[in-house]
Amino acid sequence: MSANQPPHSAAKDLIPPPTMTARYTNSEWAARIKETEKSLSISKERHPVPRRPEDVAKFIDHTLLKLDATGAQIDGLCAEARNEGFKTVCVRLNFVARAVSNLRGSPVGVACVIGFHEGTQDLTEKIKEAHAALSAGATELDIVLNHPLLTLPSPSYEEIYVELASLRNLAPSPVCLKLILETSQLSPQQITAACVLASAARFDFVKTSTGFNGRGASEEDVRRMSSAAALLAANERDGAGEGGAARMQVKASGGIRGWEDCRRMLECGATRIGTSSGVWIMRELREREKDAEKGGGWLVGRGRELRGCILMRRLGVLRWRVV
Ligand SMILES: O=C[C@H](O)COP(=O)(O)O
């Protein structure tokens, strides 16, 4: 099956399964979340970052979610994704079938946003959208968390979990499920809570932002999400928690405009980048490669004083620039 074929052979006839029932009460969830927050230590690790454009491309969801996007723009997006070797194109439901048809025969997947961008649609609506997206051939679903339920004075953890588990039930692996937290709307503790619930519902990714509400991805949020995912997976291995069988990954999205933003997110532990600037990032990387070929070079260090240096030689002059 190619990556952009419907994940279920009979996806067109798929009947949405019944919604899941609650797993724990709100106070039981609250205790689990509190325990996770207590044991959470935010990693300062610098994750290895690829540099070659063709390697970076595999981390990128090439995204076009503007409400006024046209069919021609979606065709262009798909052509760019094919050329660059991006991981997926990320589009709204009305363009999934078009993107699938454009990308047939290529390894580029099609991600569809669900509940975009507020996240407050009821579960039936989200299930309908997810079902339609899968039937049209989406391979990944980026679902917006109903974040107002998490920010209530008494958060509705039960309701959030039922929603996530029901969507996972509708879209089992290998469909890749990402939960968009909209971190700009959440406190650090609420971000941890969302990670606990997503992991318990066996989501593949937690994702920072829609790009339509408040600030986008931040290093702090990505580090917190990545550390929480690692802790939850370790707890699961020890039989002590609610973590997914596999470690959840982190998608950074919103406001990632150039290579420097992209690099910082990968270094903090993101393994997927959602951006509408993918082509510019690739262009920038290629220009850097050309610079290096002209006689300069990249020196990347992890010394105490310098995080990394670019050695550039232009007209026989050596120049150092701290990055
Ligand atoms: O999901 C991805 C975001 O919508 C992309 O946001 P951006 O347009 O700020 O790159």
Side-chain angles (χ1 to χ4, degrees), residues 9-291:
S9 51
K12 284 199 173 59
D13 313 316
L14 194 140
I15 307 293
T19 57
M20 301 289 283
T21 51
R23 186 165 173 184
Y24 300 115
T25 63
N26 279 330
S27 53
E28 286 167 339
W29 279 118
R32 284 164 189 276
I33 290 161
K34 197 169 163 195
E35 193 49 45
T36 305
E37 184 64 37
K38 216 170 87 190
S39 336
L40 183 63
S41 106
I42 309 291
S43 166
K44 293 195 170 59
E45 184 187 348
R46 287 202 195 116
H47 295 257
V49 174
R51 302 279 163 171
R52 296 189 314 164
E54 60 271 34
D55 296 332
V56 174
K58 296 192 185 85
F59 288 81
I60 292 182
D61 287 347
H62 191 35
T63 302
L64 180 50
L65 297 169
K66 286 187 309 177
L67 268 171
D68 59 355
T70 63
Q73 287 173 328
I74 296 295
D75 296 345
L77 183 87
C78 293
E80 288 164 352
R82 247 185 209 268
N83 288 342
E84 299 287 3
F86 290 135
K87 180 72 180 174
T88 70
V89 293
C90 183
V91 297
R92 287 183 187 256
L93 177 58
N94 54 324
F95 285 124
V96 170
R98 188 169 187 135
V100 168
S101 148
N102 266 304
L103 292 166
R104 189 155 287 125
S106 92
V108 182
V110 175
C112 176
V113 289
I114 304 294
F116 209 79
H117 70 274
E118 301 85 350
T120 48
Q121 297 83 340
D122 67 19
L123 175 55
T124 315
E125 189 52 41
K126 282 183 174 169
I127 283 188
K128 267 195 216 155
E129 276 185 42
H131 179 245
L134 295 174
S135 299
T139 51
E140 309 200 353
L141 302 179
D142 289 29
I143 299 162
V144 187
L145 169 72
N146 192 338
H147 48 86
L149 293 178
L150 203 53
T151 54
L152 292 168
S154 305
S156 293
Y157 301 124
E158 268 187 57
E159 197 178 334
I160 295 171
Y161 175 77
V162 166
E163 176 168 308
L164 304 186
S166 301
L167 287 159
R168 179 82 275 185
N169 196 33
L170 169 75
S173 184
V175 180
C176 176
L177 287 194
K178 313 189 195 94
L179 183 65
I180 309 179
L181 309 192
E182 203 70 289
T183 51
S184 66
Q185 305 302 306
L186 303 178
S187 68
Q189 291 68 31
Q190 288 161 349
I191 291 173
T192 305
C195 292
V196 170
L197 293 160
S199 180
R202 304 294 197 249
F203 269 52
D204 302 285
F205 277 84
V206 275
K207 165 175 169 179
T208 58
S209 324
T210 60
F212 286 75
N213 190 357
R215 67 174 162 74
S218 78
E219 291 183 43
E220 293 70 29
D221 294 344
V222 170
R223 283 199 183 281
R224 170 169 285 269
M225 289 155 73
S226 176
S227 304
L231 173 65
L232 291 161
N235 284 349
E236 176 74 8
R237 279 195 300 276
D238 298 344
E242 296 305 324
R247 185 194 190 290
M248 270 192 317
Q249 300 178 60
V250 177
K251 173 172 169 179
S253 58
I256 299 171
R257 295 279 167 265
W259 167 240
E260 185 51 25
D261 295 335
C262 181
R263 185 195 63 73
R264 285 187 299 110
M265 295 299 141
L266 293 170
E267 199 171 83
C268 290
T271 51
R272 199 74 79 83
I273 302 293
T275 177
S276 49
S277 305
V279 169
W280 299 105
I281 293 171
M282 291 295 113
R283 216 167 269 183
E284 213 183 316
L285 278 171
R286 281 196 200 97
E287 271 162 24
R288 285 168 174 248
E289 270 192 337
K290 261 192 231 152
D291 266 352

